[in-house]
Amino acid sequence: MADLPLLRDPDAVELTGSVERVVFHNEENGYTVLRLLPDKALPGASRVTGAPPRAVSRDPVTCVGHMVSPQAGVHLRVAGRWVNNARFGRQVEFSGCEEMLPATSEGIRLYLASGLIKGVGEELAGRIVQAFGTDTIRVLDEEPERLLQVRGVGRKSLARIQESWAEHRGMRDLLLFLQPHGITPAYAVRIYRAYGSQALNVVRENPYRLAMDIHGIGFVTADAAAAKLGFEPDHPLRIQAGTLYILQKATDDGNVYLPEARLAREVCSQLNVEPEQALEAIAALELDERLVREELEAPGQAVPDETNAEDGEDGNEVGVYLRRYHHCETKTAFYLQRLLHSPKAVRFENPDALVDRIAGQLPIALAPEQLEAVRTAARSKIMVLTGGPGTGKTTIINAIIKLFGEVRARILLAAPTGRAAKRMAETSGREARTIHRLLEYSPKEDGFARNEDNPLACGLLVVDEASMMDTLLFYHLLKAVPLGATLVLVGDVYQLPSVGPGNVLADIIASGVTPVVELTEIFRQSAESAIICNAHLINHGEVPNLESSRERLSDFYFIHQNNPEKAADMMVDLVKNHIPRRFGLDPVDD
């Protein structure tokens, strides 16, 4: 087991002992709770059980951490620290765990009988150890065919024992190899599942595959492991993995792709390599189908500018995508076109007259641009409704719902977040769900039950706060929209962007392929809000009005403070004291 700086901690501990009982084990990530019977008495360890303090104790110790296939009876060495759990008391939280192979015949018998190896129970374990004694472990490793000498072992059971033993030893060897490199047992489980019995060979030959293939293991971790294995800083595998890492970081920043010239510059800068090496890495990754290069047209660009000229001969930009995002973006365009050109399932005999009648039933009169928005929804397969705060988007959503309700269409409402879905339900009086819930996302499968083979059942789908959808989520949503349905996307391109990569709503508006209705008029009630008025001023590139009325309460106040620390203290004081006192609010509930 690697030396752990943790052992300088006064609460640090290293224990060896046998597993008395496995309390809990998660097969997915290896999280384990077990009871370990220490080999040696522990000074003061009786605190674990809550018994009166004694000089020494060999009481079983609760240990929690990540490991693979824990079995009762197995001998372990764990390194970690004592912690106090509010519910279960004092226990060891281990960061390192090593299985210790037994040396005595009885220890080996108990080890094999623990259920570790499929097909080997107590009786068979006894016969195997009786035949080979303390040489049993070597026989299993090097001469497993000799097991055929043992009564009860045939060709089929031998194959089963060999496979189970190889898997167990492969995982053990992998854990021992990864532990000094800072890769936890939780990730070791995923690595073994990804590569199987070849896991250790794969990691030794190309540790950078950990960053490429295993979600959660980053380039920095893989790079540190590779350096310990002797990989040079300019090794092609390092440059390829670093290129993927830079592209992944770009998606974390919201970008679906990077221009090739920019990507090459960043690879050179961050990995300290030559431009030729960066371009060779990009070409190798494209050949390996890990990324995609695509020449992108620059719309409306008559003369190539200097930035694009270095990418394409005719001035068009060459985009470099991670393969997953290229697939999602190109398929999104395909699904949009397919939906646009499919027949409309919900048709209105005289849509303009029906819209006028619906508008007359509303509690407020619709402005001309609002009426046009409802008419557009009646005519179109896909429609974008956009506008700043206070322009009546919620009113239009309710009018469109009422319009489709007149012909008894199946209506679904959704939003990217739970809060947005809840607000949508409150303002419409109908059920609204998150997009993930609408598409029946399964965390276990990490996928959606709703797709083109199992589409949603609806004639109208309204998605609010559409600016918050990223490329991946929108791709999965479009896959599940039935071809005859009408899709209405509602959002403000100036509001919250998506957390993931892509700029879906703005890109759809810029493409010009779908009807877009932009609401610009601020209505009377909203016009009384200084926040809304100033938001529109900012969106139009104008300086907001920073003066607050002294005659009445406002929802907008500007306080000048240059010192960041004082500004932070002032914010806390405002939220905790001044605002609740001035407006009669509860700072906890309101």
Side-chain angles (χ1 to χ4, degrees):
M1 187 182 292
D3 292 334
L4 298 172
L6 179 65
L7 295 179
R8 292 192 291 269
D9 185 329
D11 286 325
V13 63
E14 186 173 297
L15 299 177
T16 60
S18 57
V19 178
E20 182 189 66
R21 180 166 60 96
V22 178
V23 180
F24 173 80
H25 177 67
N26 185 323
E27 289 286 347
E28 294 295 318
N29 58 23
Y31 181 76
T32 301
V33 180
L34 57 84
R35 299 279 285 169
L36 189 75
L37 185 64
D39 290 336
K40 297 178 181 178
L42 303 177
S46 58
R47 289 177 297 169
V48 174
T49 61
R54 299 199 303 261
V56 294
S57 169
R58 279 200 66 207
D59 292 337
V61 177
T62 299
C63 300
V64 297
H66 292 83
M67 64 180 297
V68 183
S69 303
Q71 298 287 339
V74 171
H75 212 66
L76 294 180
R77 180 153 62 113
V78 299
R81 61 195 309 272
W82 290 105
V83 296
N84 282 306
N85 182 283
R87 183 176 175 187
F88 299 107
R90 193 164 165 83
Q91 56 192 25
V92 172
E93 190 176 83
F94 62 86
S95 55
C97 174
E98 179 183 354
E99 183 182 309
M100 302 175 69
L101 292 175
T104 66
S105 294
E106 178 60 14
I108 294 172
R109 186 191 70 78
L110 292 171
Y111 182 67
L112 297 182
S114 67
L116 190 72
I117 304 171
K118 293 174 184 174
V120 177
E122 285 195 23
E123 289 187 16
L124 184 54
R127 290 198 294 271
I128 291 172
V129 173
Q130 187 177 10
F132 305 113
T134 56
D135 200 32
T136 299
I137 300 294
R138 189 196 64 77
V139 170
L140 285 165
D141 279 339
E142 300 173 11
E143 301 177 280
E145 295 82 6
R146 291 181 61 189
L147 292 178
L148 292 171
Q149 303 169 14
V150 177
R151 181 169 54 85
V153 179
R155 287 287 173 187
K156 285 186 179 180
S157 56
L158 173 64
R160 189 164 61 247
I161 291 169
Q162 278 184 283
E163 182 182 355
S164 183
W165 179 254
E167 181 177 338
H168 172 70
R169 290 304 300 265
M171 179 63 81
R172 179 178 180 273
D173 293 344
L174 180 67
L175 280 168
L176 290 174
F177 178 79
L178 293 175
Q179 204 159 272
H181 301 302
I183 298 174
T184 65
Y187 284 120
V189 175
R190 295 162 72 169
I191 293 167
Y192 195 86
R193 286 190 176 144
Y195 306 130
S197 60
Q198 294 301 308
L200 187 55
N201 291 334
V202 168
V203 175
R204 278 180 172 149
E205 290 172 9
N206 183 4
Y208 292 105
R209 283 190 62 180
L210 298 179
M212 296 178 182
D213 301 338
I214 310 299
H215 180 70
I217 297 182
F219 171 75
V220 175
T221 300
D223 197 31
K228 290 180 181 178
L229 290 170
F231 281 74
E232 296 296 328
D234 62 349
H235 196 289
L237 293 177
R238 179 176 186 265
I239 303 172
Q240 290 173 33
T243 301
L244 292 176
Y245 169 67
I246 290 167
L247 270 178
Q248 184 59 56
K249 279 183 65 179
T251 65
D252 294 340
D253 293 335
N255 300 303
V256 178
Y257 74 93
L258 285 181
E260 185 174 37
R262 176 180 161 189
L263 174 61
R265 285 195 300 271
E266 292 197 20
V267 170
C268 293
S269 172
Q270 295 189 37
L271 302 182
N272 196 24
V273 297
E274 297 300 319
E276 296 77 14
Q277 293 173 303
L279 293 173
E280 286 171 4
I282 293 171
L285 289 166
E286 182 181 24
L287 191 63
D288 199 31
E289 297 187 346
R290 288 185 177 271
L291 55 76
V292 176
R293 294 171 67 255
E294 181 176 317
E295 188 171 305
L296 307 173
E297 294 182 6
Q301 183 173 297
V303 181
D305 62 27
E306 292 180 4
T307 304
N308 288 335
E310 63 181 324
D311 284 316
E313 293 181 4
D314 57 359
N316 290 342
E317 185 174 79
V318 175
V320 183
Y321 297 76
L322 290 172
R323 189 168 187 83
R324 179 188 188 190
Y325 293 106
H326 182 266
H327 172 79
C328 288
E329 188 157 277
T330 52
K331 292 296 284 185
T332 293
F334 167 76
Y335 288 132
L336 272 172
Q337 289 289 348
R338 187 178 68 168
L339 187 59
L340 277 166
H341 295 97
S342 298
K344 193 174 171 71
V346 179
R347 295 179 178 274
F348 304 95
E349 289 185 11
N350 191 342
D352 289 347
L354 182 57
V355 169
D356 289 340
R357 180 160 65 83
I358 294 294
Q361 297 171 1
L362 296 175
I364 59 173
L366 298 184
E369 63 180 15
Q370 292 180 310
L371 276 170
E372 182 56 31
V374 183
R375 291 192 181 105
T376 302
R379 294 191 297 263
S380 308
K381 281 301 301 301
I382 302 176
M383 166 196 164
V384 174
L385 176 65
T386 185
T391 55
K393 295 191 296 294
T394 299
T395 301
I396 302 307
I397 291 174
N398 290 334
I400 292 171
I401 290 171
K402 194 168 182 62
L403 173 71
F404 278 76
E406 286 289 313
V407 292
R408 300 185 182 279
R410 176 84 185 275
I411 300 167
L412 294 177
L413 308 180
T417 67
R419 176 169 289 186
K422 182 180 179 182
R423 181 177 173 277
M424 197 180 190
E426 289 170 351
T427 56
S428 67
R430 303 176 67 100
E431 182 188 17
R433 289 175 274 183
T434 63
I435 296 174
H436 279 78
R437 188 172 160 223
L438 181 77
L439 300 180
E440 298 173 23
Y441 175 73
S442 166
K444 186 175 181 181
E445 302 294 330
D446 192 23
F448 299 94
R450 294 289 184 173
N451 50 44
E452 53 194 330
D453 297 323
N454 182 28
L456 298 166
C458 65
L460 170 68
L461 172 60
V462 182
V463 180
D464 200 6
E465 301 289 4
S467 66
M468 297 173 67
M469 280 192 297
D470 62 22
T471 297
L472 297 181
L473 186 58
F474 189 54
Y475 158 73
H476 286 290
L477 178 68
L478 279 182
K479 281 176 69 175
V481 177
L483 294 182
T486 295
L487 174 63
V488 177
L489 302 174
V490 184
D492 181 356
V493 291
Y494 295 110
Q495 284 190 345
L496 289 172
S498 63
V499 175
N503 199 5
V504 169
L505 187 65
D507 285 348
I508 291 175
I509 293 171
S511 72
V513 299
T514 66
V516 177
V517 177
E518 182 177 8
L519 304 176
T520 56
E521 182 180 349
I522 307 174
F523 292 94
R524 183 185 60 79
Q525 187 175 356
S526 297
E528 295 175 0
S529 167
I531 289 178
I532 289 177
C533 292
N534 279 330
H536 282 270
L537 288 172
I538 292 169
N539 288 345
H540 291 112
E542 300 176 30
V543 177
N545 179 14
L546 303 181
E547 295 294 329
S548 300
S549 172
R550 295 180 179 276
E551 299 174 359
R552 63 184 181 85
L553 292 176
S554 173
D555 59 3
F556 179 95
Y557 293 90
F558 179 78
I559 302 170
H560 189 88
Q561 177 54 261
N562 285 329
N563 185 303
E565 292 182 0
K566 288 183 179 179
D569 292 339
M570 185 178 291
M571 286 293 295
V572 172
D573 189 41
L574 283 168
V575 172
K576 184 179 177 182
N577 301 310
H578 289 277
I579 292 175
R581 186 167 58 244
R582 186 72 175 89
F583 291 87
L585 301 174
D586 183 331
V588 176
D589 295 331
D590 297 332

